Amino acid sequence: MTVPSSPRLASTGSAVHHIAVVRHGETDWNLAGRIQGRTEIPLNDTGRAQAADTAAALARAAETLGLWRGLFASPLSRASETAEIIGRGLALPAPRIDEELWERDFGAAEGVCVPEAHERWPGLEIPDAETLEALGTRTASAFDRILAAAPGSIVVAHGAMIRAGLGRLTGTPMPRIANGEVWILRRPDTASDSAARHTAIRLDVLGDLSAQGTGDRDLEPASS
């Protein structure tokens, strides 16, 4: 995906209206291009290094966004270990495990390589899987709940569910989310505009915000 040059983060002032949403680091199934879903697959060494790099980027972003206040993670170990590594890097308490942050249940597609899955189930509409509609509803609700109750938190979860949740809240199709990638999700100022939507902006490795984009990464939604 082509992203415009990154502006420096704008200070949010004293009020906090954002969370950082992070995809877990790489696993061996990610490397092989296999759909993980809710299958328990641990981080590999590259994934652990990605988590450390993500912590460093979030530390730089905190210089303008403000200190991070806490951590939430999916029950799956690839997300919770990523959160633990980030927490150590930022001197945060252990992550709170949130049952609404599970990855999509991909049913029979779990363990299948992505190209084969697209051939067998066009659009990844898999009969025994969680529907894309249900996934978007569940994930958007979880993100919105954390935004309201614990702004300034870091939420570590999974590619397909992050993409679905951010897309639902912003009303914008989202690109594929890479391992270790961070998106800053901000809730709307409904006091000034009742029709306002959430905004999501990608954080780059330098701790800067890039313009939100969609595009050519959206062909790989599933090696979660």
Side-chain angles (χ1 to χ4, degrees):
M1 180 180 69
T2 301
V3 177
S5 59
S6 302
R8 295 298 298 176
L9 286 168
S11 173
T12 58
S14 58
V16 177
H17 303 289
H18 62 268
I19 58 174
V21 182
V22 181
R23 186 184 177 196
H24 63 78
E26 184 186 84
T27 71
D28 287 346
W29 275 25
N30 287 142
L31 192 60
R34 293 187 182 278
I35 295 174
Q36 295 175 123
R38 298 190 180 182
T39 304
E40 183 61 271
I41 307 295
L43 294 179
N44 59 24
D45 288 343
T46 296
R48 294 183 182 96
Q50 289 170 335
D53 289 343
T54 297
L58 286 164
R60 287 187 288 271
E63 295 174 8
T64 44
L65 281 176
L67 293 177
W68 300 106
R69 302 179 178 188
L71 277 163
F72 292 81
S74 156
L76 291 166
S77 69
R78 58 188 182 269
S80 60
E81 185 180 1
T82 297
E84 289 165 2
I85 294 169
I86 291 170
R88 288 196 293 272
L90 298 174
L92 291 172
R96 285 174 277 183
I97 302 303
D98 191 314
E99 294 291 333
E100 291 301 309
L101 297 177
W102 284 97
E103 176 58 300
R104 180 188 182 193
D105 181 347
F106 278 91
E110 295 191 11
V112 177
C113 288
V114 173
E116 180 185 348
H118 279 288
E119 289 180 8
R120 291 171 63 179
W121 302 285
L124 293 182
E125 295 286 354
I126 304 154
D128 60 343
E130 181 178 21
T131 67
L132 294 172
E133 178 68 21
L135 176 66
T137 298
R138 170 173 64 84
T139 307
S141 175
F143 290 166
D144 219 15
R145 169 174 51 80
I146 295 170
L147 258 172
S153 294
I154 299 164
V155 179
V156 184
H158 305 272
M161 60 89 67
I162 292 173
R163 188 181 183 197
L166 295 184
R168 177 68 63 86
L169 288 170
T170 63
T172 304
M174 301 300 294
R176 182 178 63 88
I177 310 296
N179 291 114
E181 189 167 300
V182 182
W183 285 73
I184 304 300
L185 177 66
R186 288 187 171 127
R187 67 173 182 260
D189 180 8
T190 53
S192 61
D193 183 356
S194 60
R197 301 199 71 119
H198 294 68
T199 57
I201 305 176
R202 187 170 65 86
L203 190 75
D204 69 19
V205 294
L206 299 177
D208 291 340
L209 290 178
S210 300
Q212 179 181 351
T214 60
D216 55 9
R217 289 197 301 173
D218 60 359
L219 299 179
E220 253 184 275
S223 58
S224 53

